[in-house]
Amino acid sequence: LVSALKMMGADEVYDTTFGADLTVMEEADEFLERLKKGGPFPMFTSCCPAWVKYVEEERPHFLKNISTCKSPMEMFAAVLKDQYARKDEEDGRTTYHIAIMPCTAKKMEAKRPEFQHDGKPDVDLVLTTQEIIMMIKESGIRFAELEGESPDLPFGMGTGAATIFGTTGGVAEAVARRVVEDKSKNTLQAIQFSGIRGSETIRAVTLPVGDRALRIAVVHGLVNAQKLLDDIESGQEYFDLVEVMTCKTGCVGGAGQPYGLIPVKQQRAEGLYEADRTALIKRSERNPIVTKLLEGALKGRTHQLLHVEYKRPDKA
Ligand code: SF4
């Protein structure tokens, strides 16, 4: 894919998993902070723009529960534009950032006023995976004849934790890897087999963190998320952390992806877990470029660049 995109005119090709690692780091820190302060709980994940929109429009009293972390796409874009601003000025060029996403809702997210600066969007254009496949075909590029090429550095590196973001349970698992105190291989396996993975529409797991037993829920499909919200609201259920993906099976089943029935989407998810199994680095805090950025160029600026507060549209 990298070679094809370069043939089509991209100067640099990076990997969204880099943004996902940043999201894990920030989301885990925010979650630990909420544990210290005593809430508000549950903390809902914020990387699915369709979910955020639903809460804004239909259940705004839950907005305070949504993580303030930008999605991986928007975190990546904020860092890219920030890091390239000086380069652009020096070289007299303009960075144009195209994000390739499995998701049609990401087009809406990129247009939100929160992600515009000086009248320009952080992400200039969102193309879905379906659209990019069609463009590659139309340009006559033959995939089978292309040499494999890795994404560019510095933003082309992501860990196994970031890779599994694309499937239901992946975000919660990645954050759990970051917040558990025991970082041994056994703990990673305990998280994996806790019930956090799977296809049931609502999954609940309990994981020990310090002297606390954390209640984590994973839900996919908006109708199931609505039911979970009802149960939380009525006091029937309590959770500390809830991962919500609007699409069934998560982003592997996004509306921007090539058409496929549930078994095909599950195969895609299995492909992500396989990539995680063979990844040299499995935890986001071990991504050397992410940690270098957080300790360097982003130090003291994470709130400004990586976080956002969603408000009711009529109160924005
Ligand atoms: S779950 Fe669906 S709507 Fe949400 S970010 Fe993923 S692809 Fe987009």
Side-chain angles (χ1 to χ4, degrees):
L1 180 62
V2 174
S3 314
L5 295 174
K6 291 204 169 165
M7 284 176 80
M8 290 164 76
D11 291 317
E12 288 157 25
V13 178
Y14 294 126
D15 192 330
T16 312
T17 53
F18 174 81
D21 273 329
L22 267 179
T23 305
V24 174
M25 298 295 283
E26 289 302 301
E27 206 155 290
D29 281 356
E30 183 184 354
F31 182 58
L32 291 172
E33 196 54 34
R34 286 194 193 209
L35 284 176
K36 257 195 242 159
K37 286 190 183 153
F41 293 118
M43 184 175 97
F44 291 114
T45 55
S46 54
C47 48
C48 173
W51 159 242
V52 171
K53 193 86 194 140
Y54 168 76
V55 176
E56 278 179 324
E57 304 276 341
E58 305 292 334
R59 317 282 272 255
H61 50 288
F62 276 119
L63 277 173
K64 63 180 184 319
N65 297 78
I66 292 209
S67 160
T68 61
C69 289
K70 291 182 183 177
S71 68
M73 177 181 88
E74 289 297 344
M75 277 203 187
F76 186 102
V79 170
L80 186 81
K81 288 280 167 86
D82 178 70
Q83 296 286 297
Y84 277 28
R86 212 180 59 223
K87 263 192 182 183
D88 279 3
E89 217 171 274
E90 284 167 4
D91 301 351
R93 64 177 203 177
T94 308
T95 296
Y96 190 82
H97 175 203
I98 303 173
I100 300 171
M101 290 286 139
C103 176
T104 44
K106 289 278 166 193
K107 291 178 187 266
M108 171 274 289
E109 183 182 35
K111 290 205 167 96
R112 290 187 63 119
E114 294 90 341
F115 304 127
Q116 319 281 319
H117 292 98
D118 303 324
K120 290 190 192 138
D122 292 342
V123 180
D124 294 291
L125 177 69
V126 177
L127 293 173
T128 64
T129 44
Q130 269 195 59
E131 286 168 335
I132 202 76
I133 290 167
M134 278 189 295
M135 287 168 70
I136 290 171
K137 280 185 184 158
E138 275 171 22
S139 62
I141 294 169
R142 294 188 192 170
F143 246 78
E145 292 169 15
L146 291 179
E147 297 247 343
E149 192 177 337
S150 302
D152 293 300
L153 289 174
F155 309 124
M157 191 179 170
T159 66
T163 305
I164 58 174
F165 247 63
T167 184
T168 169
V171 181
E173 183 171 342
V175 171
R177 285 181 194 183
R178 169 84 181 114
V179 297
V180 291
E181 283 155 12
D182 178 359
K183 306 280 187 187
S184 66
K185 206 173 164 189
N186 284 352
T187 307
L188 284 196
Q189 282 180 349
I191 298 171
Q192 175 182 338
F193 294 109
S194 64
I196 213 162
R197 297 187 181 185
S199 56
E200 302 92 279
T201 50
I202 300 176
R203 308 190 290 285
V205 301
T206 305
L207 288 175
V209 170
D211 52 7
R212 229 182 128 137
L214 290 185
R215 291 275 296 151
I216 301 177
V218 171
V219 56
H220 56 127
L222 191 55
V223 73
N224 306 310
Q226 288 166 329
K227 184 186 174 311
L228 188 66
L229 283 182
D230 291 342
D231 290 348
I232 291 169
E233 217 158 31
S234 69
Q236 216 175 308
E237 288 282 15
Y238 173 84
F239 293 104
D240 297 295
L241 178 70
V242 179
E243 177 206 291
V244 186
M245 301 272 183
T246 302
C247 299
K248 288 252 181 78
T249 68
C251 301
V252 287
Q257 294 272 57
Y259 176 76
L261 295 173
I262 290 288
V264 172
K265 294 172 183 176
Q266 283 168 342
Q267 272 174 12
R268 290 177 191 157
E270 197 36 56
L272 297 186
Y273 285 130
E274 182 56 35
D276 174 42
R277 263 192 292 279
T278 54
L280 284 178
I281 308 175
K282 299 203 194 307
R283 291 200 300 267
S284 299
E285 69 267 28
R286 297 230 172 133
N287 182 327
I289 299 169
V290 164
T291 48
K292 194 168 168 226
L293 257 182
L294 288 172
E295 285 159 13
L298 298 184
K299 202 171 174 78
R301 302 168 68 221
T302 51
H303 191 77
Q304 170 208 342
L305 286 172
L306 307 180
H307 291 258
V308 62
E309 199 187 333
Y310 293 111
K311 297 195 178 82
R312 280 181 72 155
D314 56 342
K315 301 216 168 133

